[in-house]
Amino acid sequence: MSTILDQILADTRALVGERRAVTPAAALMRRSAFHAPTLSLARALRRPDGPAVIAECKRASPSEGVIRREYHPADVARAYKNAAAAAISVLTEPTHFKGSLEHLAEVRQAVDLPVIRKDFVVDEYQLVEARAYGADAVLLIAAALDPAALADLLGAARQLGLGVLVEVHEPAELDALDLDLVDVLGVNNRDLRTFDVDLGRAERVFPTLPERIVRVAESGIRTAADAARLRRAGADAFLVGTHLMRQPDPGRALATLRRETALALASGRPVQGAPGSGFASPTTEVA
């Protein structure tokens, strides 16, 4: 039975073919951003003052529909930087997430933090696009690629100077990875095929990873206590998107998340959200 992930991947392959026909890789390589130095994602996520946050710019998602109608990625990215985000993730998938490469370029010009192209990368051409539009790193999803394709894309990204956030959903997906090639690994607590969320996914994967790998928890964080739970399970960073983009002031929401997570870690007890924070209420989802 076809899943939403299958449909997204089919749409992506078709779009890549169309874009390559219009703009060959050689033309992308003539863009100035393609030759600019890149910032290290792994280095940015190793923070001595507690877990780092990759704050996400996105307009919509298949599960949520339109999240933010008035969407200005550069403004959001600047607000995230002011709230001490460690890196910015930018959704560029156009059909299901209403993103674009132009959003990536706008964010690159707005901030001097590592910027991740978050998309469903299935072809080396997309890596060239990412570099040409200012990305420092890309997302590679293990569930979307066979092991050989994933290894090839990891190698190609490294040759282009791009960092990689490798995403898995369960321990079995690690078997297909050469962990010697991985610097940053994210566990998406949401299964992209069923959209079921289970924080235990990260708890099962993180302890099996070599210490040198930066661990990123993605999706399903509903309270500061959840964030603290994942930090205690080994998370070095959290990728947070939907919750922040729902708030009137995404930067303020990020500052609240960081503060309340720090309090939860210090106290060992659940923390209730401040009035109007939109963060730590029991029903609020943060990714």
Side-chain angles (χ1 to χ4, degrees):
M1 181 181 295
S2 178
T3 66
I4 293 176
L5 177 59
D6 293 330
Q7 185 60 57
I8 292 173
L9 294 175
D11 291 343
T12 297
R13 292 187 183 98
L15 284 169
V16 167
E18 294 170 8
R19 291 202 300 263
R20 183 188 279 114
V22 173
T23 310
L28 291 171
M29 292 176 183
R30 289 195 290 270
R31 291 176 63 101
S32 59
F34 184 86
H35 303 282
T38 53
L39 302 172
S40 170
L41 177 64
R43 190 175 303 121
L45 298 183
R46 290 283 195 190
R47 297 182 68 148
D49 58 343
V53 176
I54 303 170
E56 190 157 270
C57 296
K58 69 177 174 181
R59 174 181 280 163
S61 75
S63 60
E64 302 286 340
V66 175
I67 298 165
R68 194 175 190 87
R69 295 192 181 278
E70 293 295 323
Y71 180 54
H72 305 288
D75 292 342
V76 173
R78 281 188 284 264
Y80 285 157
K81 179 185 175 180
N82 291 338
I88 309 293
S89 169
V90 183
L91 257 297
T92 61
E93 195 282 329
T95 306
H96 302 270
F97 291 85
K98 311 302 181 189
S100 75
L101 286 164
E102 284 69 28
H103 295 162
L104 178 64
E106 291 169 20
V107 170
R108 168 73 291 151
Q109 296 203 4
V111 298
D112 57 358
L113 300 174
V115 177
I116 306 168
R117 179 187 186 182
K118 191 176 183 188
D119 207 319
F120 295 80
V121 175
V122 295
D123 192 288
E124 187 173 339
Y125 178 82
Q126 292 167 280
L127 302 180
V128 178
E129 286 182 321
R131 194 74 169 85
Y133 280 80
D136 299 289
V138 295
L139 176 74
L140 294 181
I141 303 171
L145 299 161
D146 64 51
L150 179 56
D152 287 346
L153 288 170
L154 273 167
R158 180 168 293 183
Q159 288 183 347
L160 288 169
L162 289 165
V164 178
L165 169 58
V166 177
E167 179 179 292
V168 301
H169 300 82
E170 56 189 26
E173 290 179 328
L174 297 177
D175 295 338
L177 287 174
D178 180 353
L179 291 179
D180 289 338
L181 301 177
V182 177
D183 297 318
V184 183
L185 188 136
V187 178
N188 194 338
N189 294 304
R190 177 180 288 109
D191 188 321
L192 291 177
R193 294 187 172 88
T194 66
F195 284 90
D196 291 339
V197 174
D198 174 15
L199 296 185
R201 293 180 190 279
E203 291 178 315
R204 290 188 289 273
V205 171
F206 286 159
T208 69
L209 299 176
E211 183 61 31
R212 67 169 190 82
I213 293 179
V214 179
R215 301 158 171 83
V216 181
E218 309 171 35
S219 298
I221 304 166
R222 296 179 180 274
T223 65
D226 289 339
R229 167 185 167 183
L230 290 168
R231 172 64 168 173
R232 294 183 183 111
D236 299 298
F238 308 109
L239 191 153
V240 185
T242 299
H243 167 75
L244 300 179
M245 295 305 299
R246 281 176 174 159
Q247 305 307 314
D249 185 338
R252 180 181 179 187
L254 174 57
T256 299
L257 182 156
R258 297 186 72 249
R259 181 177 66 253
E260 294 186 352
T261 299
L263 289 171
L265 286 166
S267 68
R269 298 190 302 273
V271 175
Q272 295 301 314
S277 71
F279 172 56
S281 65
T283 58
T284 298
E285 185 170 323
V286 180

